[in-house]
Amino acid sequence: MDAPAKTEEKVSPLLKMVLELGPLVVFFFANSRGEWLASHFPVLAEMGGPIFIATGLFMAATAIALIVSWILTRTLPMMPLISGIVVFVFGALTLWLQNDTFIKMKPTIVNTLFGAILLGGLLFGKSLLGYVFHAAFKLTDEGWRKLTLRWGLFFLFLAVLNEVVWRSFSTDFWVAFKVWGTMPITVVFTLAQMPLIMRYSADQTEEGKAS
């Protein structure tokens, strides 16, 4: 049980960030430079317009990120794995049917799924977020319940936000927002949870009882 954790510790935070954000950056670049890519790489032009080229390269970059993560840690985190599966399924539908609606709905599906799983677990008395981040944080049961509730609601918020953006704005705006809008919002939300994490830290609770 300790071996995977030790292996994962060797992966630098910078490399983890590259593996998580890399495919999104590829998606943004490929969409913004789709015509240039099509003119220099004719095989990509067969996929269709910029958004379809971006989808194909997004799928490839996601696969590479998962493979590298597996090689380095010998494990695949649940959330990136589920997200990757949805990318492959909806990306394939996008390319096959030449309909970008599928790739645009991918964030909606993934975030709704994560939100439903977390909130559904709470209904059955399970703080599922604790199973995912137990190695990073040690919280009390109440702390995990509150953090799971917040993240569940946040995922549903992201799902609704994605629907509003892709249905109300252009494809280029949606792609840019997906990369440069959603990520900062998620970072801000994550940082906003630190007071809760500190308040319900199991270590601090034990120290308080001891004193």
Side-chain angles (χ1 to χ4, degrees):
M1 293 292 292
D2 294 337
K6 290 181 180 179
T7 304
E8 190 172 357
E9 289 177 0
K10 297 179 181 178
V11 181
S12 68
L14 178 60
L15 180 55
K16 287 183 178 181
M17 183 175 69
V18 171
L19 292 176
E20 292 177 4
L21 299 184
L24 286 176
V25 174
V26 169
F27 186 61
F28 174 78
F29 172 80
N31 181 74
S32 61
R33 301 301 299 275
E35 295 181 1
W36 181 89
L37 289 170
S39 64
H40 286 74
F41 304 96
V43 65
L44 295 179
E46 298 179 4
M47 294 184 181
I51 186 62
F52 300 108
I53 294 175
T55 297
L57 295 181
F58 183 40
M59 294 168 66
T62 299
I64 292 172
L66 289 174
I67 291 172
V68 172
S69 179
W70 169 258
I71 292 174
L72 294 176
T73 66
R74 292 301 172 184
T75 185
L76 289 176
M78 181 184 66
M79 295 175 70
L81 178 59
I82 293 176
S83 180
I85 292 173
V86 178
V87 166
F88 300 141
V89 172
F90 280 72
L93 288 172
T94 296
L95 296 177
W96 182 36
L97 300 176
Q98 288 290 288
N99 188 338
D100 60 11
T101 298
F102 293 101
I103 198 63
K104 289 178 178 178
M105 289 187 65
K106 175 262 175 185
T108 302
I109 300 300
V110 170
N111 288 316
T112 300
L113 182 61
F114 287 155
I117 289 174
L118 293 180
L119 297 179
L122 287 178
L123 292 178
F124 292 94
K126 301 291 184 180
S127 302
L128 299 180
L129 203 65
Y131 294 98
V132 180
F133 294 111
H134 66 91
F137 305 109
K138 295 184 183 301
L139 305 182
T140 63
D141 290 341
E142 183 180 0
W144 281 123
R145 283 194 296 271
K146 290 186 175 182
L147 193 62
T148 298
L149 175 62
R150 291 186 181 186
W151 271 102
L153 294 175
F154 180 68
F155 279 126
L156 294 183
F157 164 75
L158 289 180
V160 172
L161 183 61
N162 182 70
E163 284 295 296
V164 171
V165 172
W166 84 260
R167 293 179 184 274
S168 304
F169 300 94
S170 67
T171 296
D172 289 344
F173 182 90
W174 171 78
V175 172
F177 182 82
K178 176 179 171 63
V179 180
W180 311 116
T182 302
M183 288 308 302
I185 290 173
T186 302
V187 170
V188 170
F189 175 80
T190 302
L191 294 176
Q193 306 317 303
M194 292 310 298
L196 183 148
I197 292 173
M198 297 297 293
R199 188 183 312 126
Y200 291 97
S201 171
D203 294 336
Q204 287 210 6
T205 301
E206 292 176 1
E207 290 178 3
K209 291 181 178 179
S211 61

